């Protein structure tokens, strides 16, 4: 019986780093977080705008997203992380980047920490994460902040 179990485990497909364990959003340093009102103020000001990258689901992005943001794919999946790497590959390491998801309450988001860790570990120094305590709907849309719809 034990040999059978070991044999079955040996033939399980390997999982990518992104899929192995949930890394909680709470692991992101507070200094790397930006509050919704502060991001909105930056977007409405004359100052240079950050590159905003959505690292959640495609359905969520199509339903509502921050105007001017780009969809790169879910940070919990290797395909999303690969798309994120490709998107930022030509950018200087000091480019202002804001990542966001908002799929669920902050502590349960499976997407944001893997995406943040990927860029942080790659040396991006002007990296922020939009802190959405409850979700994008509650913390952005319901506050009347600007929203775009569709794939863009």
């Amino acid at each position: 019986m034990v040999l059978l179990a070991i044999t079955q485990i040996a033939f399980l497909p390997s999982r990518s780093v992104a899929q192995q364990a949930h890394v909680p959003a709470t692991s992101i340093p507070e200094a790397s977080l930006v509050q919704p009102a502060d991001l909105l103020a930056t977007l409405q000001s004359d100052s240079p705008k950050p590159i905003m990258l959505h690292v959640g689901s495609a359905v969520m992005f199509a339903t509502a997203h921050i105007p001017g943001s780009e969809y790169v794919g879910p940070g919990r999946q290797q395909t999303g992380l690969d798309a994120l790497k490709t998107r930022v590959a030509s950018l200087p390491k000091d480019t202002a980047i804001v990542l966001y998801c908002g799929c669920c309450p902050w502590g349960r988001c499976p997407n944001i920490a893997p995406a943040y860790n990927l860029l942080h570990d790659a040396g991006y120094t002007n990296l922020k994460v939009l802190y959405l305590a409850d979700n994008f709907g509650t913390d952005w849309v319901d506050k009347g902040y600007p929203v775009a719809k569709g794939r863009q």
Side-chain angles (χ1 to χ4, degrees):
M1 184 68 157
V2 173
L3 182 56
L4 177 61
I6 292 171
T7 304
Q8 289 175 335
I9 290 171
F11 290 103
L12 288 175
S14 63
R15 295 168 60 186
S16 71
V17 173
Q19 297 169 322
Q20 286 181 9
H22 171 69
V23 180
T26 55
S27 66
I28 298 170
E30 192 170 324
S32 295
L33 304 181
V34 61
Q35 297 295 322
D38 296 333
L39 177 60
L40 180 62
T42 298
L43 296 176
Q44 293 176 335
S45 74
D46 291 333
S47 63
K49 309 301 181 249
I51 293 175
M52 294 174 297
L53 302 174
H54 184 270
V55 295
S57 78
V59 170
M60 192 171 86
F61 184 83
T63 302
H65 59 270
I66 299 171
S69 65
E70 302 171 40
Y71 177 71
V72 292
R76 74 180 176 276
Q77 296 177 355
Q78 193 61 49
T79 55
L81 293 175
D82 290 344
L84 179 59
K85 277 191 257 187
T86 299
R87 173 58 184 94
V88 302
S90 63
L91 299 175
K93 298 289 185 178
D94 63 349
T95 300
I97 299 171
V98 174
L99 300 174
Y100 77 101
C101 178
C103 66
C104 53
W106 183 252
R108 293 195 336 227
C109 179
N111 297 303
I112 204 72
Y116 170 83
N117 290 335
L118 176 83
L119 296 187
H120 180 266
D121 293 349
Y124 288 87
T125 59
N126 198 359
L127 177 62
K128 296 289 184 184
V129 176
L130 180 60
Y131 176 73
L132 298 167
D134 293 314
N135 58 57
F136 186 71
T138 300
D139 299 320
W140 189 273
V141 178
D142 292 351
K143 290 184 178 191
Y145 295 170
V147 172
K149 297 179 186 229
R151 296 222 178 261
Q152 291 185 348

